[in-house]
Amino acid sequence: SMMALSHLGKQTLMNGSVSAINAYLNPNDSVSGLMSTRVTFAKYLQEPGEIQINPYRSTLLLYAVAAVTSDGKGGYGGNPEWKEARIKFLES
């Protein structure tokens, strides 16, 4: 649940931004819709009271995904579907 997130005052993401790209392709007179959302931010790898992120090891990244609905509340009844990815920042 989104309620499990830390208080807004404890969030330490910096230089965050969200951008959306909508593209409509017309190869051979067909129309396809493509939407891509990019989220970027910076984060300290070591913070007091937090789990340290080792840039040379695989790190679990959790994120939520939900479509925007016409009522503006988003899909999944306010509790979006969680996704996961493993990322490594630097090669050893």
Side-chain angles (χ1 to χ4, degrees):
S1 169
M2 298 294 283
M3 297 300 188
L5 294 176
S6 295
H7 183 271
L8 185 59
K10 287 187 66 180
Q11 295 297 326
T12 56
L13 300 180
M14 300 165 287
N15 301 324
S17 70
V18 177
S19 60
I21 300 169
N22 293 313
Y24 297 94
L25 309 173
N26 294 306
N28 301 323
D29 296 324
S30 65
V31 177
S32 298
L34 169 71
M35 182 171 181
S36 175
T37 303
R38 178 182 290 183
V39 177
T40 61
F41 58 88
K43 174 133 178 70
Y44 291 115
L45 299 179
Q46 295 180 23
E47 295 183 81
E50 299 293 335
I51 297 170
Q52 180 177 330
I53 297 172
N54 184 333
Y56 297 102
R57 300 186 86 177
S58 178
T59 299
L60 177 64
L61 175 68
L62 294 173
Y63 57 98
V65 176
V68 176
T69 57
S70 60
D71 63 6
K73 295 181 181 180
Y76 300 96
N79 191 16
E81 180 180 351
W82 287 93
K83 303 282 187 171
E84 65 179 71
R86 293 218 167 252
I87 57 175
K88 189 187 295 186
F89 298 102
L90 300 172
E91 293 295 324
S92 48

